[in-house]
Amino acid sequence: MRLRSGVFAAGCLLVQALGVGLFLRGFFPVPVRSLPRREARGAPPAEPPQPGAGVTSNWTKIPSPLFKKVVIVLIDALRDDFVFGSKGKQFMPYTTELVEKGTCHSFIAEAKPPTVTMPRIKALMTGSIPGFIDVIMNLNSPALLEDNLIWQAKTAGKRIVFYGDDTWVKLFPKHFVEYDGTTSFFVSDYTEVDDNVTRHLDGVLKREDWDILILHYLGLDHIGHLTGPNSPLVGPKLYEMDNILKKIHTSLLSKERESSLPNLLIVCGDHGMSETGSHGGSSEEEVHTPLLFISSAFEKRNGPLKQPELVQQTDLAATLAIGLGLPISRNSVGNIILSVIEGKTMREQLRFLHLNGFQLSRLLQENMPTYEKGKSIKVIFLISSSILFLLCQQETLKLQFEVFRNKNTTHQYKPIGSQDPGFEHFKIAEKSHGNWIKLYLEGNNSEVLLNLGKKVLKQYLEALKILSSSLSKQVAQYDMYSMTVGTVIVLEVLLLLLLSMSKALSSRAEFEVPLSPPLFSLLFYLMCLMLCAVHVIVCTSAESLCYFCSISWLTAVGVMMLISALMCVILSAFGKMIENPKLPAKNPAVSSSSWSELDVLILAGTVGYAVSLGASSFIEEEHQTWYFLINTLCLALCQEICRHYFLVKECDLQLSTAVKQNFEDIEETTQYRKVDIPSCDSKLVKVTSSGEFLKGSEKWMGLASPLIILICCRLLRSLNQTGVQWAHRPDFGHWLTSSEHKAVLSLLAAVSLVMLFILVQRRCSLVSKIAMALGLLGVYSYRAAIGNVAFPWQQDSRDISKGIIEARFVYVFVLGIIFTGTKDLLKSQVISADCKTKSIGLWEVYSGLVLLAALLFRPHNLPVLVFCLLIQMIMTRCIWKPLKFDAAQITIMHYWFGQAFFYFQGNSNSIATVDISAGFVGLDNYVEIPAIFLTGFATYAGPLLWAIHLLCYLSSEVSSSDLENKHTIITDKVCSGHTTWNSAAMGHGCFCYALICSVPVTVYIILVTGLRYHLFIWSVFSPKLLYEGMRVFITAAVCMFFTAMDQNRSQKIHD
């Protein structure tokens, strides 16, 4: 089958996207072993047995509740310093007084990444650590099927009322006797979303028909997404929350006069927020949240205020279960917080801790992958050793086998769960607990009983700590089968791209893909049968359900056939390479081409970046890698420009005179347009635009262009601090977004929008120019409406709106410009093959995307767009065209700058830097598909704009066929060898773009598989894996767009 390079690359990336999807599904499975609810509830264990004969304990039931009513106030994105810091003292005076002098136990709860709402609610209510894939499922939360506190409370007859984030309603359907959910994704609203919760308070606090009240406030989180934690809106919101807590606490205290049990108020956050106002990562500001237990059952605090103790967020589920008299959730890895139960008797405290330890030790045994295997291994060993025993003829061998068998069956196959240090500590504590119960039941009230009780208490706490730590390390069970299948597909695609590189970058940009011989070979069918056999064995013997085993057999067989076909094609291509070991030069158009310094830099940079992905520090600070690469690239370009303009050889000048004469003859008949022609070894083609044909000012402008680009990049680095190590340091963006510098930000935004219009409009039609100008004016109006910037005549006291009308006004012009460009593209592709019309259409589509990015970017990030367009214009006019770089080199430069601009925007490999607010610009309610698209585009705007600009550049460099034919005659005279048709440039660009994306994702998938038990796997490597997966899908879409624009058919070129 004969395919063009672009079509082949797009097809390969689609297959690789399939492999990446399979790998992600295996790497991010459903976390831990979730027992069905009907199996989760069982009889609680009795107190530990007492040694010897005598009186025995008959306490076998769950202890009675400690509190009558419980109110949980969850304030989304509540950081610990908002309560315990200066802002708490200033804006939450009532809460601060309770913490310092009231009946309150205060803690700092540590959340595990990902720090997004849905996984954190799961952690709070189940006590388990959700899987990292929940960061994606957060957009559409399914019902929670595993054992949890809400289900236990409902089963026990507790009446639960809920108001707030509708994620709770989705996770716990039909669990609440009354509820009112509000959407959590419409981040532009931070007032009504809380008012809809508070309006129910007065009525529900007066009633007695509920046992648990849950309130989830979202306003603070939305303010953080919009304006950050230092916004002037944060203070009033905290004051509002403080008044709500005062109202609830006062009401609960008044109800206690009529009840024998006290009430409990819990104040917590699901996660914090970073310095940019987002969350999802693992920084201290994101994982540390306050946790307050407020009840009259606690003693008032005396003495100086101490630093709040650090606990785990998962500890709340176990503590609250004991407080409500409920069983601890089967999958909970949390510990009971001792301060909450320290007011109870010693026997009750020990009983609570024993229940917690028993639950953790049982969960550890169930989740140890080798625990159940120990028994089967032991049986297999006994059978095999018995067979060998019968085969042995000599008595000495029989004796040796007998000793060997007895030794191993006695010591080697002890269940792994019982070997865990926490389990051993628990058994010791349980034994000591039995001794204490014996003394207690015998009526011993001496100091010996008290001291032994304290000792047992410490033993239990130590055992619980170790058990919880062991379980926390087993966040999820990897689906290795799905991961392996995905890795094989991704690796096969990369090998196929590498083996096809020489032919794909040939002058024709098309080649024969050997499909028929491999697909009809015996090897293909043998591989299919072997893989299907492996699939059957794995799926019928796997102890845990694999995702790849759950799909239909027809689909699985199709994937096996795909893997077999790819392997056969790879072997066929490799065989032909061995048969014909003579490899083509870097570009077949030139017979004696050699690698330049720029080519070596590109290769070294690509390989070095791929290798750096194995280090967590390089992933956290990946922006430094790309900043270094583009700075080095600029220096290499400066060397190329100096060589081009100032180091021209005399023989080259003589040859260039003849070339110039030939070009002048062509220009008499048609206007000459520069085309994509690779360099000859003697650089004769480059000489045609050398110093003899350029003015002196253009030489110096070309020499200055890399320095100007370096200055632009240095300014952009100062705009947004990103990464981990230095993300907390102040940057120019933080300075601009502070309220006292609003005038400076307004001026900068206005200047940036004017510059955007000047840089974009140069190639647009008149209608698009007008639409662009009105659209950019609408962008400023939108930012002024929501309070980011201000018009000169605008008063500071003006009410801030959501800017819905202004944003939709801009969307109209965005769609209009893109529609105009699409019309030109269809006209050039369907009606007439007009390269000029297609070039204009692509540029107008590009202009529409620039306008959309300007709307979604925060005002202080608008200079990023300006510098993006400025650098593209400089490199086009002063570097790419004069120096005649080929399509492959230009493609890789676009990719590098696209990656750098991803980080110039303020992004990182942490999910916390994703600007969620961009997905709700112009929306008055949550609409899933537009919100996901806008958020994704705003996040990857830098790489996308550079990719579309690459397409615009390559398309504009394709000239008419007549000019190509005339130019071919000239180049044949100047360079002995083949020539490259300009229609091949698009295919070359698409192929190189696919290859440069495929290399790092393949290497990273292999590395992350080997590092899956690394300490930072969930905080560093997993978010990066999600980013790499998303980049593959976006690159596949870009390559498909490349292919759609590359409709020129291959033409026969004589060797």
Side-chain angles (χ1 to χ4, degrees):
M1 180 184 294
R2 196 164 189 81
L3 294 176
R4 293 185 61 79
S5 299
V7 176
F8 176 76
C12 285
L13 272 188
L14 289 176
V15 175
Q16 191 170 61
L18 170 65
V20 171
L22 269 176
F23 182 87
L24 291 177
R25 184 59 181 82
F27 192 84
F28 298 115
V30 177
V32 294
R33 183 179 300 178
S34 300
L35 293 176
R37 289 173 180 169
R38 62 180 178 272
E39 301 177 18
R41 194 177 180 92
E47 283 188 305
Q50 298 82 50
V55 183
T56 59
S57 171
N58 58 357
W59 193 359
T60 59
K61 295 183 179 180
I62 295 292
S64 302
L66 307 181
F67 307 99
K68 182 181 180 182
K69 291 183 181 294
V70 174
V71 179
I72 302 174
V73 180
L74 194 156
I75 303 175
D76 210 294
L78 183 66
R79 291 194 341 188
D80 60 329
D81 59 331
F82 286 175
V83 174
F84 304 128
S86 58
K87 288 184 178 178
K89 295 180 180 179
Q90 181 179 0
F91 299 111
M92 303 188 76
Y94 185 80
T95 306
T96 302
E97 184 179 1
L98 287 175
V99 170
E100 295 179 351
K101 302 177 182 179
T103 55
C104 172
H105 289 301
S106 56
F107 306 93
I108 295 177
E110 183 180 13
K112 300 295 184 183
T115 47
V116 292
T117 297
M118 191 268 281
R120 303 279 49 86
I121 295 176
K122 283 186 177 182
L124 288 168
M125 292 297 105
T126 65
S128 62
I129 302 177
F132 211 92
I133 196 62
D134 285 324
V135 73
I136 297 176
M137 298 173 67
N138 186 57
L139 298 171
N140 187 18
S141 307
L144 184 60
L145 299 179
E146 66 180 288
D147 187 19
N148 61 82
L149 184 68
I150 300 296
W151 178 77
Q152 292 280 10
K154 179 177 180 293
T155 306
K158 303 286 185 182
R159 296 160 296 179
I160 312 172
V161 177
F162 169 76
Y163 306 115
D165 185 355
D166 61 358
T167 303
W168 290 77
V169 181
K170 297 175 183 177
L171 286 173
F172 311 106
K174 302 179 181 179
H175 285 64
F176 306 117
V177 295
E178 181 181 324
Y179 65 88
D180 184 13
T182 57
T183 179
S184 60
F185 293 103
F186 184 53
V187 297
S188 299
D189 174 26
Y190 51 84
T191 304
E192 294 180 9
V193 71
D194 286 347
D195 292 342
N196 288 333
V197 178
T198 307
R199 64 188 176 94
H200 297 285
L201 266 185
D202 292 332
V204 75
L205 289 176
K206 294 177 181 178
R207 290 158 29 195
E208 295 290 338
D209 60 345
W210 55 271
D211 300 297
I212 303 174
L213 173 62
I214 303 174
L215 308 173
H216 189 150
Y217 285 94
L218 291 163
L220 183 63
D221 176 70
H222 291 183
I223 290 174
H225 283 298
L226 287 173
T227 56
N230 300 315
S231 167
L233 300 173
V234 171
K237 179 57 67 175
L238 292 177
Y239 186 72
E240 177 189 345
M241 294 294 103
D242 189 60
N243 288 332
I244 291 170
L245 295 177
K246 181 179 180 180
K247 177 187 293 187
I248 296 172
H249 187 226
T250 305
S251 176
L252 291 179
L253 289 177
S254 65
K255 290 178 180 293
E256 289 182 1
R257 301 168 188 169
E258 309 168 1
S259 173
S260 59
L261 287 177
N263 298 322
L264 175 65
L265 171 61
I266 297 176
V267 182
C268 62
D270 55 346
H271 52 74
M273 68 171 70
S274 65
E275 287 301 318
T276 60
S278 190
H279 54 87
S282 57
S283 66
E284 185 174 315
E285 293 82 4
E286 297 168 76
V287 300
H288 284 178
T289 64
L291 177 60
L292 308 180
F293 292 87
I294 306 171
S295 175
S296 60
F298 309 139
E299 295 182 359
K300 284 191 176 182
R301 186 181 298 276
N302 295 320
L305 181 64
K306 298 180 181 179
Q307 178 70 19
E309 180 185 351
L310 182 66
V311 298
Q312 296 301 312
Q313 194 179 60
T314 51
D315 295 343
L316 177 63
T319 306
L320 193 53
I322 293 299
L324 291 170
L326 301 172
I328 300 175
S329 301
R330 285 288 296 268
N331 293 324
S332 172
V333 299
N335 298 336
I336 295 175
I337 301 176
L338 186 62
S339 302
V340 179
I341 62 172
E342 65 183 359
K344 311 307 290 184
T345 65
M346 179 61 71
R347 186 182 185 186
E348 288 176 314
Q349 292 184 47
L350 294 178
R351 173 63 170 160
F352 296 150
L353 296 177
H354 176 254
L355 289 173
N356 195 185
F358 180 84
Q359 172 263 326
L360 289 175
S361 60
R362 182 174 57 180
L363 182 64
L364 180 65
Q365 292 177 357
E366 291 174 349
N367 282 275
M368 277 293 186
T370 54
Y371 180 75
E372 294 296 334
K373 294 179 182 178
K375 300 176 182 178
S376 59
I377 293 174
K378 180 178 178 180
V379 173
I380 294 172
F381 174 80
L382 289 172
I383 295 174
S384 59
S385 60
S386 298
I387 295 173
L388 289 173
F389 180 79
L390 293 175
L391 292 176
C392 292
Q393 300 298 325
Q394 297 182 7
E395 292 297 328
T396 54
L397 289 178
K398 288 184 181 181
L399 181 61
Q400 291 176 4
F401 267 102
E402 187 68 31
V403 173
F404 177 74
R405 180 173 61 182
N406 293 336
K407 179 181 178 181
N408 282 275
T409 54
T410 304
H411 302 287
Q412 296 296 321
Y413 296 100
K414 190 176 181 180
I416 300 299
S418 63
Q419 294 177 351
D420 185 83
F423 187 85
E424 298 295 340
H425 278 73
F426 174 70
K427 286 302 180 183
I428 295 174
E430 193 175 40
K431 184 177 180 180
S432 301
H433 188 188
N435 293 330
W436 184 92
I437 293 174
K438 181 180 180 180
L439 292 176
Y440 175 82
L441 295 177
E442 291 175 353
N444 190 331
N445 296 321
S446 64
E447 190 175 349
V448 175
L449 182 67
L450 179 62
N451 292 334
L452 180 59
K454 292 181 179 179
K455 177 183 177 182
V456 176
L457 204 66
K458 291 181 179 179
Q459 288 177 340
Y460 268 133
L461 292 176
E462 182 68 21
L464 293 178
K465 182 179 179 181
I466 299 175
L467 285 169
S468 180
S469 177
S470 299
L471 285 165
S472 298
K473 294 175 182 178
Q474 301 180 23
V475 177
Q477 298 173 1
Y478 295 106
D479 181 1
M480 289 303 300
Y481 184 43
S482 300
M483 290 170 59
T484 303
V485 174
T487 303
V488 169
I489 294 176
V490 170
L491 188 59
E492 285 182 335
V493 170
L494 176 61
L495 290 175
L496 191 59
L497 287 172
L498 291 174
L499 291 173
S500 307
M501 183 169 59
S502 59
K503 295 181 179 179
L505 298 180
S506 63
S507 58
R508 291 185 173 90
E510 64 177 18
F511 57 96
E512 190 72 27
V513 179
L515 285 180
S516 298
L519 292 182
F520 291 99
S521 64
L522 179 62
L523 178 62
F524 171 73
Y525 296 106
L526 288 176
M527 288 189 65
C528 286
L529 289 175
M530 183 186 67
L531 293 176
C532 289
V534 171
H535 182 73
V536 172
I537 294 172
V538 171
C539 294
T540 54
S541 62
E543 294 184 2
S544 59
L545 181 63
C546 300
Y547 168 74
F548 195 61
C549 294
S550 65
I551 64 177
S552 66
W553 281 94
L554 186 62
T555 306
V557 171
V559 174
M560 299 303 173
M561 294 178 66
L562 175 64
I563 295 175
S564 303
L566 288 173
M567 181 57 66
C568 291
V569 172
I570 290 172
L571 293 176
S572 176
F574 188 71
K576 290 184 178 180
M577 183 179 295
I578 294 177
E579 293 175 2
N580 186 17
K582 184 179 179 180
L583 296 177
K586 183 189 75 168
N587 195 315
V590 183
S591 59
S592 59
S593 176
S594 61
W595 285 70
S596 65
E597 292 89 342
L598 186 62
D599 297 322
V600 174
L601 171 63
I602 289 173
L603 178 63
T606 303
V607 174
Y609 165 66
V611 173
S612 71
L613 295 177
S616 60
S617 298
F618 276 94
I619 294 176
E620 290 178 337
E621 309 299 326
E622 186 179 330
H623 60 286
Q624 301 287 3
T625 301
W626 291 109
Y627 296 165
F628 172 78
L629 287 178
I630 61 171
N631 290 342
T632 308
L633 176 63
C634 289
L635 295 178
L637 291 175
C638 188
Q639 179 189 10
E640 290 288 329
I641 291 172
C642 291
R643 178 184 300 161
H644 177 72
Y645 286 129
F646 303 104
L647 300 177
V648 181
K649 297 178 181 180
E650 181 180 355
C651 59
D652 292 337
L653 291 174
Q654 294 175 356
L655 288 172
S656 66
T657 305
V659 176
K660 177 187 175 184
Q661 184 62 41
N662 288 329
F663 277 125
E664 288 176 350
D665 295 339
I666 292 179
E667 288 172 356
E668 294 177 0
T669 57
T670 180
Q671 183 179 0
Y672 170 62
R673 297 176 63 191
K674 297 177 180 63
V675 291
D676 176 35
I677 304 176
S679 305
C680 296
D681 201 29
S682 59
K683 293 183 170 45
L684 296 178
V685 179
K686 289 186 178 180
V687 170
T688 60
S689 58
S690 63
E692 184 179 349
F693 305 101
L694 294 176
K695 298 178 181 179
S697 59
E698 292 178 345
K699 292 183 184 179
W700 296 109
M701 179 60 70
L703 184 62
S705 57
L707 302 179
I708 296 174
I709 295 172
L710 284 173
I711 293 173
C712 293
C713 293
R714 185 64 190 88
L715 293 174
L716 288 173
R717 291 179 63 176
S718 303
L719 188 61
N720 292 303
Q721 288 285 356
T722 184
V724 174
Q725 298 295 331
W726 296 279
H728 63 280
R729 297 178 62 181
D731 50 39
F732 191 48
H734 282 92
W735 184 85
L736 287 171
T737 52
S738 59
S739 57
E740 57 267 23
H741 302 128
K742 189 173 182 178
V744 180
L745 179 62
S746 301
L747 178 62
L748 179 65
V751 172
S752 298
L753 293 173
V754 172
M755 290 295 298
L756 284 177
F757 177 76
I758 294 174
L759 292 170
V760 169
Q761 57 84 33
R762 52 194 172 91
R763 292 174 59 183
C764 294
S765 61
L766 179 61
V767 175
S768 296
K769 290 180 181 179
I770 297 174
M772 178 64 68
L774 294 176
L776 292 173
L777 179 62
V779 170
Y780 192 90
S781 301
Y782 166 73
R783 289 298 170 182
I786 64 175
N788 294 141
V789 299
F791 286 105
W793 59 85
Q794 184 175 329
Q795 300 295 326
D796 292 338
S797 59
R798 182 176 181 268
D799 292 335
I800 298 175
S801 69
K802 299 177 184 178
I804 302 295
I805 297 176
E806 292 85 351
R808 291 179 176 177
F809 176 79
V810 179
Y811 282 138
V812 170
F813 293 110
V814 170
L815 294 175
I817 296 173
I818 293 178
F819 175 79
T820 303
T822 305
K823 182 189 67 174
D824 291 338
L825 290 177
L826 292 175
K827 181 180 177 181
S828 65
Q829 298 293 101
V830 178
I831 299 177
S832 61
D834 188 356
C835 295
K836 183 178 181 180
T837 303
K838 181 168 71 173
S839 178
I840 294 175
L842 284 172
W843 185 262
E844 291 192 336
V845 171
Y846 175 75
S847 303
L849 295 179
V850 169
L851 179 58
L852 178 60
L855 175 63
L856 300 181
F857 276 22
R858 300 199 180 195
H860 74 277
N861 260 346
L862 287 175
V864 176
L865 269 181
V866 174
F867 283 121
C868 175
L869 296 176
L870 183 63
I871 292 174
Q872 289 172 354
M873 184 188 71
I874 292 174
M875 296 195 75
T876 300
R877 294 186 176 181
C878 303
I879 298 177
W880 292 329
K881 286 188 176 182
L883 270 65
K884 294 294 180 188
F885 288 114
D886 58 34
Q889 294 170 326
I890 293 173
T891 299
I892 296 175
M893 291 184 207
H894 274 84
Y895 182 84
W896 281 18
F897 273 95
Q899 292 297 100
F901 270 85
F902 175 82
Y903 296 102
F904 284 146
Q905 293 175 226
N907 293 320
S908 70
N909 286 324
S910 170
I911 300 174
T913 53
V914 177
D915 186 7
I916 301 294
S917 63
F920 304 92
V921 174
L923 302 180
D924 54 4
N925 52 48
Y926 175 61
V927 185
E928 185 171 356
I929 295 179
I932 293 175
F933 169 77
L934 293 175
T935 304
F937 178 80
T939 303
Y940 289 92
L944 279 172
L945 290 178
W946 278 90
I948 302 301
H949 182 270
L950 171 65
L951 186 58
C952 293
Y953 176 81
L954 295 179
S955 177
S956 66
E957 294 302 297
V958 176
S959 60
S960 62
S961 58
D962 290 341
L963 180 58
E964 288 177 355
N965 291 332
K966 294 181 179 180
H967 185 67
T968 301
I969 299 172
I970 299 168
T971 54
D972 283 341
K973 294 178 180 179
V974 178
C975 297
S976 59
H978 306 288
T979 183
T980 301
W981 290 89
N982 294 312
S983 60
M986 299 278 281
H988 291 172
C990 182
F991 184 86
C992 290
Y993 202 83
L995 181 60
I996 198 69
C997 173
S998 179
V999 171
V1001 72
T1002 304
V1003 173
Y1004 190 70
I1005 281 178
I1006 296 173
L1007 288 173
V1008 84
T1009 301
L1011 297 172
R1012 63 188 180 277
Y1013 296 115
H1014 193 278
L1015 179 63
F1016 301 133
I1017 185 63
W1018 299 115
S1019 58
V1020 178
F1021 292 100
S1022 293
K1024 173 62 177 176
L1025 183 61
L1026 290 176
Y1027 275 108
E1028 286 296 327
M1030 190 64 185
R1031 189 169 287 115
V1032 169
F1033 298 138
I1034 291 176
T1035 306
V1038 168
C1039 288
M1040 290 180 67
F1041 189 48
F1042 264 85
T1043 303
M1045 294 298 100
D1046 185 19
Q1047 293 298 324
N1048 298 316
R1049 295 293 179 262
S1050 59
Q1051 303 181 37
K1052 186 176 181 180
I1053 303 176
H1054 299 285
D1055 294 335

